[in-house]
Each structure stands twice: as C-alpha cells, then as structure tokens.
Amino acid sequence: MTMGSYNHEWCNRPLEVKFDLFQKLVKQGWRIELDQLDQIENGEWWTDEVTKLPVPSQSTNRFGDIALVTWSTYVYPPESDDWLFELNASFDSPLEAYEWLAPRLDKYAKKWSKKNDDK
C-alpha cells in the first residue's frame, strides 16, 4: 500500500483499514488533522526547576490523569474552513484518536455525502 511518497507493509490490518478510509476522504476534499497538545503549556503540568522533569499540576492534575501530551482531532468537510464539533475530541495517543475517529467519520461522511447528493 502506498501512503505519501513511501510504501508501508501493514502488519496491523485494523489500522490499515482506518487509513484507507482517511485517504479516501482526503482525496474527496475532507481535511483531517491530529493536533499534538503539550500539557505543560496548558498548565496541567509544569517543569521542576531543579530536576527539569515534568510534574503534574497539584491543583488540576494532582494524580497525573491528564497525559503530558494529548492529541485532538479536527475534521473539515470539503470546501469548509470550519471543523466539525461532533468529530472533535482529545486522546492520550494517536492510535486512540484513530480508533475513535474512523467509525464516526465514516458514518458522518456518508450522511454528509447523501445530503449533498440530494441538493
């Protein structure tokens, strides 16, 4: 399978299926973004002055439940500059985001396509 300018030999078939869907929709004009958020900049973590290690904020993240880096999904339909609120969420890993996004995006894109075909 070709993605971009290099070939992948997929060992993870479920992930390959998700990327097939993402590639198909991007070719149809959808824009899919995965944003990496550093929680140190958001105040959920801070950097210790002595050790330089990240420490969870004791007021909002005392148990470290909020990951040091999180990932947020943003999906834009064709010819739109507005992302879809229904397909926006935050996750602790890119794979978690892909697993959540793929079935919802597939369903949403089918509805969107049918609605626009009826126009």
Side-chain angles (χ1 to χ4, degrees):
M1 171 177 192
T2 302
M3 286 182 60
S5 59
Y6 49 92
N7 291 324
H8 288 280
E9 292 296 325
W10 288 96
C11 296
N12 182 337
R13 179 69 182 135
L15 184 59
E16 179 182 9
V17 169
K18 289 169 182 60
F19 270 84
D20 286 348
L21 169 67
F22 296 155
Q23 286 184 345
K24 179 184 94 175
L25 292 173
V26 166
K27 288 176 184 173
Q28 293 173 2
W30 290 80
R31 203 168 84 220
I32 304 167
E33 296 178 0
L34 187 61
D35 222 10
Q36 179 180 350
L37 302 167
D38 180 341
Q39 295 299 336
I40 289 177
E41 294 174 6
N42 287 346
E44 301 298 342
W45 290 78
W46 55 276
T47 303
D48 182 78
E49 291 178 19
V50 176
T51 64
K52 306 299 183 214
L53 294 172
V55 178
S57 165
Q58 295 302 289
S59 61
T60 60
N61 190 22
R62 71 179 52 95
F63 301 110
D65 295 347
I66 300 170
L68 183 59
V69 174
T70 57
W71 303 84
S72 293
T73 56
Y74 294 93
V75 177
Y76 302 79
E79 301 176 16
S80 176
D81 291 328
D82 297 323
W83 51 270
L84 300 167
F85 180 78
E86 302 89 345
L87 298 177
N88 172 250
S90 292
F91 303 93
D92 292 343
S93 77
L95 288 177
E96 189 180 2
Y98 299 151
E99 289 173 358
W100 179 88
L101 181 59
R104 288 165 180 80
L105 177 54
D106 187 32
K107 185 176 178 180
Y108 194 97
K110 286 176 183 172
K111 283 183 185 177
W112 186 89
S113 180
K114 184 174 177 357
K115 183 173 81 172
N116 285 304
D117 287 345
D118 292 343
K119 288 183 179 180

CSV table of all heavy atoms in Angstrom, one decimal, residues 9 11 13 30 34 43 50 52 54 62 66 72 97 99 103-104 107 112-113 117:
chain,number,residue,atom,x,y,z
A,9,GLU,N,4.2,-1.7,4.6
A,9,GLU,CA,3.8,-3.1,4.7
A,9,GLU,C,3.0,-3.2,6.0
A,9,GLU,O,3.6,-3.2,7.1
A,9,GLU,CB,4.9,-4.1,4.6
A,9,GLU,CG,5.7,-4.1,3.3
A,9,GLU,CD,4.8,-4.7,2.2
A,9,GLU,OE1,3.9,-5.5,2.4
A,9,GLU,OE2,4.9,-4.1,1.1
A,11,CYS,N,1.2,-4.4,9.1
A,11,CYS,CA,1.1,-5.6,10.0
A,11,CYS,C,-0.2,-5.5,10.8
A,11,CYS,O,-0.7,-6.5,11.4
A,11,CYS,CB,2.3,-5.7,10.9
A,11,CYS,SG,3.8,-6.0,10.0
A,13,ARG,N,-3.8,-4.8,10.4
A,13,ARG,CA,-4.9,-4.7,9.4
A,13,ARG,C,-6.0,-3.7,9.9
A,13,ARG,O,-6.4,-2.9,9.0
A,13,ARG,CB,-5.5,-6.1,9.2
A,13,ARG,CG,-6.6,-6.1,8.2
A,13,ARG,CD,-6.2,-5.7,6.8
A,13,ARG,NE,-7.4,-5.7,5.9
A,13,ARG,CZ,-7.6,-4.8,5.0
A,13,ARG,NH1,-6.8,-3.8,4.8
A,13,ARG,NH2,-8.7,-4.8,4.3
A,30,TRP,N,-11.9,16.2,2.1
A,30,TRP,CA,-12.0,16.3,3.5
A,30,TRP,C,-10.6,16.6,4.0
A,30,TRP,O,-9.6,16.2,3.5
A,30,TRP,CB,-12.5,15.0,4.2
A,30,TRP,CG,-13.9,14.7,3.9
A,30,TRP,CD1,-14.4,14.1,2.8
A,30,TRP,CD2,-15.0,14.9,4.8
A,30,TRP,NE1,-15.8,14.0,2.9
A,30,TRP,CE2,-16.2,14.5,4.1
A,30,TRP,CE3,-15.1,15.4,6.1
A,30,TRP,CZ2,-17.4,14.6,4.7
A,30,TRP,CZ3,-16.4,15.5,6.7
A,30,TRP,CH2,-17.5,15.1,6.0
A,34,LEU,N,-4.7,16.0,13.2
A,34,LEU,CA,-4.5,15.5,14.5
A,34,LEU,C,-3.5,16.4,15.2
A,34,LEU,O,-2.3,16.5,14.7
A,34,LEU,CB,-3.9,14.1,14.5
A,34,LEU,CG,-3.7,13.3,15.8
A,34,LEU,CD1,-5.1,13.1,16.5
A,34,LEU,CD2,-3.1,12.0,15.5
A,43,GLY,N,-0.8,24.3,31.4
A,43,GLY,CA,-0.9,24.4,32.8
A,43,GLY,C,-1.3,23.1,33.6
A,43,GLY,O,-1.5,23.1,34.8
A,50,VAL,N,14.7,22.2,39.5
A,50,VAL,CA,15.9,21.5,39.9
A,50,VAL,C,16.1,20.4,38.9
A,50,VAL,O,17.2,20.2,38.3
A,50,VAL,CB,15.9,21.1,41.3
A,50,VAL,CG1,17.1,20.2,41.7
A,50,VAL,CG2,15.8,22.3,42.3
A,52,LYS,N,14.3,19.5,36.2
A,52,LYS,CA,13.8,19.7,34.8
A,52,LYS,C,12.9,18.7,34.3
A,52,LYS,O,12.6,18.5,33.2
A,52,LYS,CB,15.0,19.9,33.8
A,52,LYS,CG,16.0,20.9,34.3
A,52,LYS,CD,15.4,22.3,34.3
A,52,LYS,CE,16.5,23.3,34.7
A,52,LYS,NZ,16.1,24.4,35.5
A,54,PRO,N,9.0,16.9,34.2
A,54,PRO,CA,7.6,17.4,34.2
A,54,PRO,C,6.9,16.8,35.5
A,54,PRO,O,7.1,15.7,35.9
A,54,PRO,CB,7.0,16.8,32.9
A,54,PRO,CG,7.9,15.7,32.5
A,54,PRO,CD,9.2,15.9,33.1
A,62,ARG,N,-3.5,16.5,39.9
A,62,ARG,CA,-2.7,16.0,41.0
A,62,ARG,C,-2.3,14.6,40.9
A,62,ARG,O,-1.2,14.1,41.4
A,62,ARG,CB,-3.3,16.3,42.4
A,62,ARG,CG,-4.5,15.5,42.7
A,62,ARG,CD,-5.1,15.8,44.1
A,62,ARG,NE,-5.3,17.2,44.3
A,62,ARG,CZ,-6.5,17.8,44.1
A,62,ARG,NH1,-7.5,17.1,43.7
A,62,ARG,NH2,-6.6,19.1,44.3
A,66,ILE,N,-4.2,13.5,33.5
A,66,ILE,CA,-4.1,14.1,32.1
A,66,ILE,C,-2.7,13.9,31.6
A,66,ILE,O,-1.7,14.2,32.3
A,66,ILE,CB,-4.4,15.7,32.2
A,66,ILE,CG1,-5.8,15.9,32.8
A,66,ILE,CG2,-4.2,16.3,30.9
A,66,ILE,CD1,-6.1,17.3,33.1
A,72,SER,N,-5.7,15.9,19.7
A,72,SER,CA,-7.0,16.3,19.4
A,72,SER,C,-7.3,16.2,17.9
A,72,SER,O,-6.5,16.5,17.1
A,72,SER,CB,-7.3,17.8,19.8
A,72,SER,OG,-7.2,17.9,21.2
A,97,ALA,N,-7.0,8.1,19.1
A,97,ALA,CA,-7.7,9.0,18.3
A,97,ALA,C,-8.2,8.4,17.0
A,97,ALA,O,-9.4,8.6,16.6
A,97,ALA,CB,-6.9,10.2,18.0
A,99,GLU,N,-8.8,5.2,16.4
A,99,GLU,CA,-9.8,4.2,16.6
A,99,GLU,C,-11.2,4.9,16.9
A,99,GLU,O,-12.2,4.3,16.6
A,99,GLU,CB,-9.4,3.3,17.8
A,99,GLU,CG,-8.3,2.4,17.4
A,99,GLU,CD,-7.7,1.6,18.6
A,99,GLU,OE1,-8.2,1.8,19.8
A,99,GLU,OE2,-6.8,0.8,18.4
A,103,PRO,N,-14.7,5.2,12.8
A,103,PRO,CA,-16.2,4.8,12.6
A,103,PRO,C,-17.1,6.0,12.6
A,103,PRO,O,-18.1,6.0,11.8
A,103,PRO,CB,-16.5,3.9,13.8
A,103,PRO,CG,-15.4,4.1,14.8
A,103,PRO,CD,-14.2,4.7,14.0
A,104,ARG,N,-16.8,7.0,13.4
A,104,ARG,CA,-17.6,8.2,13.4
A,104,ARG,C,-17.5,9.0,12.2
A,104,ARG,O,-18.5,9.5,11.6
A,104,ARG,CB,-17.3,9.1,14.7
A,104,ARG,CG,-17.7,8.5,16.0
A,104,ARG,CD,-17.0,9.1,17.2
A,104,ARG,NE,-17.5,8.5,18.4
A,104,ARG,CZ,-17.0,7.3,18.9
A,104,ARG,NH1,-16.1,6.7,18.3
A,104,ARG,NH2,-17.5,6.9,20.0
A,107,LYS,N,-19.3,7.2,9.3
A,107,LYS,CA,-20.8,7.5,9.3
A,107,LYS,C,-21.2,8.9,9.0
A,107,LYS,O,-22.1,9.1,8.2
A,107,LYS,CB,-21.2,7.1,10.8
A,107,LYS,CG,-22.7,7.2,11.0
A,107,LYS,CD,-23.1,6.8,12.4
A,107,LYS,CE,-24.5,6.8,12.7
A,107,LYS,NZ,-24.9,6.4,14.1
A,112,TRP,N,-23.2,13.1,5.2
A,112,TRP,CA,-22.8,14.4,4.5
A,112,TRP,C,-22.9,14.2,3.0
A,112,TRP,O,-23.5,15.1,2.3
A,112,TRP,CB,-21.4,14.8,4.9
A,112,TRP,CG,-21.0,16.2,4.4
A,112,TRP,CD1,-21.3,17.3,5.1
A,112,TRP,CD2,-20.4,16.5,3.2
A,112,TRP,NE1,-20.8,18.4,4.3
A,112,TRP,CE2,-20.2,17.9,3.1
A,112,TRP,CE3,-19.9,15.7,2.1
A,112,TRP,CZ2,-19.6,18.5,2.1
A,112,TRP,CZ3,-19.3,16.3,1.1
A,112,TRP,CH2,-19.1,17.7,1.1
A,113,SER,N,-22.4,13.1,2.5
A,113,SER,CA,-22.4,12.9,1.0
A,113,SER,C,-23.8,12.7,0.5
A,113,SER,O,-24.2,13.3,-0.5
A,113,SER,CB,-21.6,11.6,0.7
A,113,SER,OG,-21.6,11.3,-0.6
A,117,ASP,N,-25.6,15.1,-2.1
A,117,ASP,CA,-26.0,14.5,-3.4
A,117,ASP,C,-27.5,14.8,-3.7
A,117,ASP,O,-27.9,14.9,-4.8
A,117,ASP,CB,-25.9,13.0,-3.4
A,117,ASP,CG,-24.4,12.5,-3.5
A,117,ASP,OD1,-23.6,13.4,-3.8
A,117,ASP,OD2,-24.1,11.4,-3.2
